Amino acid sequence: QGIFWNPVGFSFLRFIKYNVRRIETVLFNKSLHSETNGEYWLLDQLSDNPVVLDVGYNEGDFTKELLARRPTGTVFAFDPAKSAAAANQRDFSKDNRVVFSNIALSSEVGSAVFHDYGNMCGSLASRTDAGDEKSSYEVPVERLDSWCNSNNVEEIDLLKIDAEGYDFPVLKGAESLLYAQKITAFQFEYADGWIASRYFLHDLMQFMEDKPYSIYQLFNGFLMPFDYSTVEERFDCGRMFVGVANRAQTSFTQSTHCL
């Protein structure tokens, strides 16, 4: 410590820290950059006519990318933000491939306060890392399994979740769908938004223990089987995970070159 904690040594430590972070981002794919972290690659593994749920629609970038790659796909999109509803109206109001619901998804049915930060970090959790809160308003909340039952959505090829820390409650609200393997694959983001919602990756992994799914970390070109340990609880290095139903393990993982 005495050697490095001085002006010269500290400069060297910063150089090491910078390059370690680059290694984590590039080699270990601890990145939320959709074009390079495998999110868009995952879309190419879907069938020609997939049914996809876009939870956390925001400006619709994910839906646009999906339909560019799978023009005959169907998207059911969810986002409680007023700005998301406006973006959907602007881009897809006359497109019957996209069904938008201006609601939040969670593990309980009812209503909740949505904290709108005027950026991509709006959440049902009040955050201190997302900038100044622009407004807050009450929004309807549904469970995904009950919503699918009411809207006759029986099979889901991909459930994409980007709920700014509320990814785990969304999955909890899809419990009956998961038990029945009605969702072929789901992806979720694990990043600092989880701090505000008071959940850990450990909570999700425990929840999935009795579900017929395997969890993988997403890479750009393959899926890596994920073995949980407490070391993985890193909020500062956001990354993507994918769950694949057991019924689809052979076909899905072969098509994705799973290691």
Side-chain angles (χ1 to χ4, degrees):
Q1 294 174 349
I3 294 174
F4 288 104
W5 286 96
N6 57 69
V8 175
F10 189 64
S11 295
F12 180 65
L13 288 175
R14 283 191 299 179
F15 172 79
I16 293 176
K17 184 176 180 181
Y18 171 76
N19 284 283
V20 166
R21 185 57 184 263
R22 292 188 68 182
I23 290 172
E24 289 182 326
T25 300
V26 177
L27 296 184
F28 293 99
N29 206 34
K30 295 180 179 179
S31 167
L32 301 180
H33 189 248
S34 301
E35 294 181 1
T36 59
N37 69 3
E39 288 186 74
Y40 291 166
W41 164 82
L42 190 63
L43 297 179
D44 289 334
Q45 316 312 313
L46 300 177
S47 64
D48 291 337
N49 305 293
V51 174
V52 176
L53 272 58
D54 183 354
V55 180
Y57 178 84
N58 192 38
E59 291 291 316
D61 292 341
F62 182 89
T63 288
K64 293 173 187 176
E65 190 67 31
L66 169 70
L67 294 177
R69 294 166 185 259
R70 294 293 185 268
T72 57
T74 299
V75 179
F76 295 97
F78 303 84
D79 200 305
K82 295 177 180 178
S83 58
N88 176 260
Q89 179 66 23
R90 178 190 67 225
D91 297 328
F92 292 107
S93 61
K94 298 180 180 179
D95 194 329
N96 59 13
R97 298 175 298 174
V98 181
V99 179
F100 179 81
S101 296
N102 196 200
I103 64 174
L105 294 177
S106 188
S107 57
E108 303 292 338
V109 175
S111 63
V113 174
F114 180 74
H115 303 274
D116 195 333
Y117 297 96
N119 52 32
M120 298 176 65
C121 300
S123 175
L124 293 184
S126 179
R127 300 178 59 173
T128 59
D129 62 334
D132 295 329
E133 186 173 306
K134 305 302 181 184
S135 62
S136 61
Y137 38 91
E138 194 168 278
V139 298
V141 180
E142 293 280 353
R143 285 179 60 94
L144 183 56
D145 49 17
S146 59
W147 185 94
C148 286
N149 184 58
S150 299
N151 290 273
N152 298 314
V153 177
E154 298 181 355
E155 298 289 341
I156 300 164
D157 293 288
L158 176 64
L159 166 61
K160 165 261 183 181
I161 310 172
D162 184 1
E164 295 303 319
Y166 253 75
D167 305 57
F168 179 39
V170 173
L171 273 180
K172 289 177 70 177
E175 189 165 27
S176 65
L177 296 170
L178 294 171
Y179 274 126
Q181 299 188 69
K182 296 295 186 181
I183 302 171
T184 301
F186 62 83
Q187 71 170 67
F188 65 91
E189 174 184 299
Y190 190 64
D192 50 7
W194 285 57
I195 297 174
S197 62
R198 302 296 191 271
Y199 289 115
F200 293 93
L201 191 56
H202 175 265
D203 299 316
L204 185 143
M205 296 301 291
Q206 277 198 320
F207 171 74
M208 292 302 300
E209 279 184 353
D210 64 341
K211 312 297 188 300
Y213 285 79
S214 294
I215 305 298
Y216 303 89
Q217 185 182 339
L218 177 63
F219 282 78
N220 194 11
F222 60 95
L223 300 176
M224 176 69 76
F226 179 67
D227 294 320
Y228 174 82
S229 73
T230 55
V231 177
E232 305 296 343
E233 300 289 359
R234 290 280 304 277
F235 294 113
D236 62 322
C237 295
R239 50 186 160 155
M240 307 301 297
F241 291 91
V242 175
V244 180
N246 287 352
R247 64 171 175 79
Q249 287 294 316
T250 301
S251 59
F252 193 90
T253 55
Q254 281 183 351
S255 67
T256 55
H257 311 293
C258 173
L259 296 183

